[in-house]
Amino acid sequence: MVELKTDPSIDAMYEAGQVVARALTAVREAADVGVSLLELDEVAHDVLREAGASSPFLGYRPSFAPTPFPAVICASVNDAIVHGVPTGRRLRDGDLVSIDCGAALNGWVGDSAISFVVGRARPQDVRLVETAERALAAGIAAAVVGNRVGDIAHAVGTVCRGAGYGIMDDFGGHGVGRRMHEDPAIPNEGRPGRGLPLRHGMVIAIEPMLIAGGGDDYHVAPDGWTLCTNDGSRAAHTEHTVAVTDNGPRVLTQRG
Ligand code: MG
Ligand code: MG
């Protein structure tokens, strides 16, 4: 069931989204060659603590997971697509990093992700990250009253496929509210004009997950969480929490 949010609730969700935005900005600034993923997790955790927010990631255990998630960010490096568990691994020059973060503030959740390269970037990685950002922007632009969920999915998928990339399509966007994962599902590929009509008050996470090699296949790493490309190629992941409103899409996790 899709729960429509009132305007005051959307304002409250914006506050939660801004905590996530600040956490991702802080992580991005801290990420450098030699910095560990656990150190990045601590940077994000500090931002949440200072804001009085809790983490919907920490202790999260969906049906597919073998263990409760142990961190406040997912840190997925190179061939890891999403759900990377932060470890003591230290970042190396040219690593492609995707950071996913959530925050819960006053009972409302924000959810957002960024990809970036540490140190000197390979041109192909820059192109992958820029395409992930373009796919997200296209999805957001389609998140308007009068469109349907399939229009968002089609917009995202068209950018990814048009650039020759694969799409990790068993996971994707979702409704967001008092819980991190609500209805409806927002796939990263789909047919325009299909699916649920978008209405004022729907709040959704849109999150393209791109695979550089062009295939869609992935596997679960031995930690039971991290999803990695089967072909060993690199992946990128971007995400915003977006409110559909009569005045157009409002990006609740927009970074300053
Ligand atoms: Mg997320
Ligand atoms: Mg999400």
Side-chain angles (χ1 to χ4, degrees), residues 10-255:
I10 291 173
D11 288 340
M13 290 190 73
Y14 177 80
E15 297 305 322
Q18 287 306 294
V19 176
V20 180
R22 291 201 299 277
L24 288 177
T25 297
V27 167
R28 175 73 188 87
E29 285 172 359
D32 207 347
V33 175
V35 175
S36 80
L37 302 179
L38 278 173
E39 287 165 352
L40 295 183
D41 185 60
E42 200 48 43
V43 166
H45 211 158
D46 283 345
V47 173
L48 267 58
R49 279 194 206 98
E50 278 168 31
S54 61
S55 169
F57 286 27
L58 191 62
Y60 188 56
R61 191 174 183 183
S63 55
F64 61 80
T67 51
F69 196 76
V72 309
I73 60 169
C74 298
S76 307
V77 181
N78 295 339
D79 66 321
I81 312 164
V82 289
H83 301 169
V85 178
T87 64
R89 172 186 183 148
R90 296 192 178 280
L91 293 171
R92 292 190 216 137
D93 193 33
D95 275 348
L96 198 173
V97 187
S98 298
I99 303 290
D100 194 343
C101 185
L105 185 71
N106 299 320
W108 295 103
V109 171
D111 186 12
S112 182
I114 50 172
S115 283
F116 54 86
V117 179
V118 170
R120 285 165 297 183
R122 307 185 307 170
Q124 59 266 45
D125 291 337
V126 172
R127 179 173 175 269
L128 180 66
V129 169
E130 286 178 352
T131 306
E133 289 169 351
R134 269 199 301 123
L136 177 57
I140 292 169
V144 295
V145 174
N147 268 358
R148 291 171 178 262
V149 165
D151 293 301
I152 298 174
H154 180 70
V156 170
T158 298
V159 172
C160 301
R161 295 290 185 203
Y165 297 131
I167 298 171
M168 214 282 284
D169 212 9
D170 286 341
F171 293 83
H174 49 88
V176 186
R178 293 195 176 274
R179 288 175 299 122
M180 182 163 57
H181 292 131
E182 297 187 349
D183 289 337
I186 311 290
N188 285 323
E189 194 163 33
R191 296 171 66 183
R194 298 297 181 93
L196 195 72
L198 303 179
R199 292 171 61 190
H200 180 90
M202 282 179 65
V203 179
I204 53 177
I206 302 171
E207 47 181 317
M209 303 163 189
L210 286 63
I211 297 174
D216 300 348
D217 298 328
Y218 66 93
H219 62 276
V220 184
D223 64 19
W225 273 102
T226 313
L227 304 182
C228 299
T229 64
N230 272 7
D231 62 7
S233 70
R234 292 186 167 189
H237 175 216
T238 53
E239 177 181 24
H240 272 307
T241 299
V242 180
V244 177
T245 82
D246 289 329
N247 298 319
R250 181 180 179 194
V251 181
L252 305 181
T253 46
Q254 188 68 55
R255 293 181 296 281

